[in-house]
């Protein structure tokens, strides 16, 4: 990606502020692919007045998440426009244009300006998924969306972290996806506010539902007595209005009892920590790059532990002096 | 793994010094699974007099690396006993006992004390493969092995790094392993001193060899005109004596022209850098753990970039003072 000039970012931010979806899309690309411009862009849209409702939708590949997200968008749109979806599933059908084709005719909604859909690479340069979802959420929040759905395939720690940072979380499963998926599901179930059995018209759906209710009533870690199970058929929309209402109801309850504020603080904290860790590593990288090769030359008999201690002590002493000088 | 008492490590090091293979095996387990004892153990065996010849053997799964390594051990054993092999291939057959079964009867060699074989998990707690191979090599070098073969499956950056740190590197391929393997091979070829076409009796071996010679003569990055191609049939030993001799010859040439000393310094430097990065991350982890939760509480409107800057400045100032106090 071409490096943007500062005046270009300035112009994009101005158009972003005036509600240009095109500027939003371009800023999201910059934040995703161009680490050096992240700080300026994100800093300029903070602080944000009015947070959107952030709904996480996660689950194994093949359970119908994308179709379900599209249906939810259609339903939420009536009350909560404008709204957006961020997809981090590499196999996701959530992307502009061909988006779900003729099944729910999402492209129509995209064009009317009420629904913004963005598919992001699940792995990118300069930062994991978690970091990028925070920056993208900051932009979407500042743009004024009332609701944002984040969709992930739910595999790996990074994705679990993103999900833990959503306001309200739906974990989607489907009947008959085999043992591997069953195992993956077990880890995901713990983070859901709602577990959705999609493809409820398939054989095995009732059994799936019964098994889930049974395992959830046993109470997982933290004894989530409040997790509930919904059934949907995303392809024809069955169960989607009920699920939408439940997600909003859970959101209102979390807001009322203070849990929502806590989840959002955790989200802000996770973003901060991601930036902090990256900056900390950069400090060391810079110092290693600046060091004369001879200063780092070790022979096979040298003690690498002692050498690492000396390097860090020296680095902290000079950086500490620098910090002090800057302070005086 | 149970935490060892300091006197226990002391006793193990004493027995290690007296040539106990059992103590070596136990110290390797500690270094692999018990990060807190690494420094003491590795520091106590340094400096090392007399480095072993370190042969890296890498290549995609299924090309017959383990069988080839066993054959090489049998051959090298005549001149270079005692010798050792470290396997980092999760599918490797290089492990005590069942080791290659009746094909080359390696277990026999294991028992006679001249050949030590160790299979290490390719992913473990507390440190990547690269870090652990360095520590294991330090122990094996100090124990007095004259030659160590390190076997990896050659997938991923960590494994490429290990291989770059061997004295001399054989990249093993085999005919007819499909497109995916062909792609993987391309990345591996760049790091080899010798490319071995194993299973040379299979159809396609001659073509494979011709294609390799052709692509290698084009000169990869760095124009490795000196890479050569050998053919072997590890299962019956064909070509193994020739390969063994070539590896030792390349090693002698590298020693003569000073490249070997440079590779070993790079290896020591990589070990140092691994330790340095781990210690640097621990400093931040410790500080984050010590910080009162309120000090890290961010609200959604706070600028996480500014907060990260403040945190690091404060941390460097106090750690710098501490470093200075320790110095005066």
């Amino acid at each position: 990606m071409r490096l943007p000039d500062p005046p270009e970012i300035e112009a994009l931010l101005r158009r972003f502020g005036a509600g240009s979806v095109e500027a939003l899309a371009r800023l999201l690309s910059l934040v995703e692919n161009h680490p050096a411009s992240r700080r300026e862009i994100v800093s300029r849209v903070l602080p944000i007045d009015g947070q959107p409702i952030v709904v996480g939708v996660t689950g194994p590949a093949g359970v119908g998440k994308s179709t379900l997200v599209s249906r939810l968008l259609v339903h939420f749109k009536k009350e909560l426009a404008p709204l957006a979806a961020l997809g981090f599933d590499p196999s996701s059908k959530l992307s502009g244009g061909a988006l779900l084709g003729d099944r729910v005719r999402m492209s129509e909604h995209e064009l009317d300006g009420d629904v913004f859909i963005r598919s992001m690479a699940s792995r990118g340069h300069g930062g994991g998924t978690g970091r990028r979802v925070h920056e993208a959420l900051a932009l979407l929040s500042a743009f004024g969306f009332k609701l944002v759905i984040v969709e992930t395939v739910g595999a790996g720690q990074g994705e679990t972290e993103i999900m833990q940072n959503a306001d309200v979380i739906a974990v989607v499963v489907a009947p008959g996806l085999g043992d591997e998926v069953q195992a993956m599901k077990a880890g995901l179930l713990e983070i859901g506010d709602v577990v959705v059995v999609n493809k409820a018209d398939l054989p095995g759906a009732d059994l799936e539902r019964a098994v889930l209710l049974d395992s959830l009533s046993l109470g997982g870690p933290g004894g989530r007595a409040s997790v509930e199970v919904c059934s949907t058929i995303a392809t024809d929309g069955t169960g989607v209005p009920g699920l939408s209402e439940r997600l909003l109801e859970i959101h209102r309850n979390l807001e009322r009892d203070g849990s929502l504020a806590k989840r959002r603080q955790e989200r802000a904290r996770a973003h901060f920590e991601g930036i902090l860790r990256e900056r900390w590593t950069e400090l060391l990288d810079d110092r290693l790059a600046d060091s004369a090769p001879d200063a780092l030359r070790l022979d096979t008999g040298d003690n690498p532990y002692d050498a690492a201690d000396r390097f860090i002590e020296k680095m902290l002493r000079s950086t500490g002096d620098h910090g002090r000088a800057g302070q005086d």
Side-chain angles (χ1 to χ4, degrees), chain A:
Chain A
M1 168 165 282
R2 190 175 58 82
L3 292 184
D5 299 321
E8 191 183 344
I9 289 180
E10 202 56 45
L12 283 170
L13 285 164
R14 213 167 28 238
R15 289 171 50 216
F16 172 89
S20 159
V21 171
E22 198 198 322
L24 166 64
R26 171 101 175 109
L27 288 170
L28 281 169
S29 298
L30 284 173
V31 156
E32 187 174 11
N33 301 313
H34 188 246
S37 61
R38 277 181 192 152
R39 181 178 190 144
E40 189 188 347
I41 293 170
V42 174
S43 297
R44 289 286 299 278
V45 305
L46 293 172
I48 293 158
D49 302 323
Q51 293 285 317
I53 295 170
V54 179
V55 177
V57 174
T58 190
V63 297
K65 290 187 300 298
S66 300
T67 312
L68 187 63
V69 168
S70 302
R71 288 280 176 194
L72 287 170
L73 289 173
V74 172
H75 197 85
F76 284 134
K77 197 184 145 202
K78 296 170 199 161
E79 293 177 56
L80 292 158
L83 70 174
L86 270 183
F88 288 88
D89 180 348
S91 64
S92 173
K93 294 172 217 91
L94 268 184
S95 60
L99 185 88
L100 289 168
D102 35 27
R103 275 194 300 193
V104 290
R105 303 171 60 84
M106 186 54 55
S107 48
E108 184 188 320
H109 300 291
E110 225 192 352
L111 292 173
D112 71 9
D114 279 349
V115 181
F116 176 84
I117 289 170
R118 175 79 180 204
S119 196
M120 297 180 94
S122 65
R123 267 178 234 188
H125 328 278
T129 314
R131 169 77 182 275
R132 287 177 301 123
V133 79
H134 285 122
E135 323 253 80
L137 269 181
L139 279 169
L140 295 175
S141 303
F143 195 78
F145 290 109
K146 291 191 184 149
L147 183 140
V148 178
I149 300 182
V150 180
E151 180 199 347
T152 77
V153 77
Q157 207 195 346
E159 299 222 332
T160 307
E161 279 166 18
I162 297 169
M163 278 302 138
Q164 283 171 327
N165 291 321
D167 290 348
V168 53
I169 301 157
V171 176
V172 188
V173 298
L177 281 171
D179 286 347
E180 203 182 330
V181 173
Q182 298 297 322
M184 200 206 282
K185 227 172 55 182
L188 282 177
L189 287 180
E190 299 170 9
I191 64 167
D193 296 295
V194 178
V195 175
V196 182
V197 180
N198 190 34
K199 305 188 182 181
D201 51 337
L202 287 190
D206 289 343
L207 180 62
E208 183 84 19
R209 192 183 158 89
V211 169
L212 281 169
L213 279 170
D214 194 47
S215 63
L216 291 169
S217 72
L218 290 173
R224 305 171 64 86
S226 63
V227 184
E228 48 198 283
V229 178
C230 293
S231 294
T232 56
I233 306 170
T235 44
D236 70 8
T238 303
V240 172
L243 173 61
S244 311
E245 291 319 310
R246 272 312 284 145
L247 289 170
L248 296 181
E249 203 175 323
I250 291 167
H251 195 267
R252 282 191 296 271
N253 292 341
L254 292 171
E255 193 159 24
R256 205 173 299 127
D257 74 6
S259 309
L260 186 66
K262 232 178 268 170
R263 287 191 185 188
R264 288 179 166 175
Q265 272 165 13
E266 275 309 305
R267 199 155 75 214
R269 155 77 195 254
H271 188 190
F272 157 73
E273 203 176 305
I275 292 166
L276 179 63
R277 290 188 178 280
E278 194 174 293
R279 294 266 302 123
W280 188 245
T281 303
E282 279 167 9
L283 278 180
L284 184 63
D285 290 343
D286 290 350
R287 185 64 165 241
L288 280 169
D290 285 350
S291 300
D294 275 359
L296 296 172
R297 193 177 131 172
L298 282 191
D299 284 305
T300 44
D302 293 339
N303 186 320
Y305 290 93
D306 295 345
D309 280 354
R310 286 194 303 271
F311 189 92
I312 286 177
E313 256 171 51
K314 208 172 146 192
M315 183 167 161
L316 287 177
R317 212 173 304 127
S318 66
T319 324
D321 286 349
H322 184 74
R324 173 193 310 277
Q327 191 67 9
D328 290 343

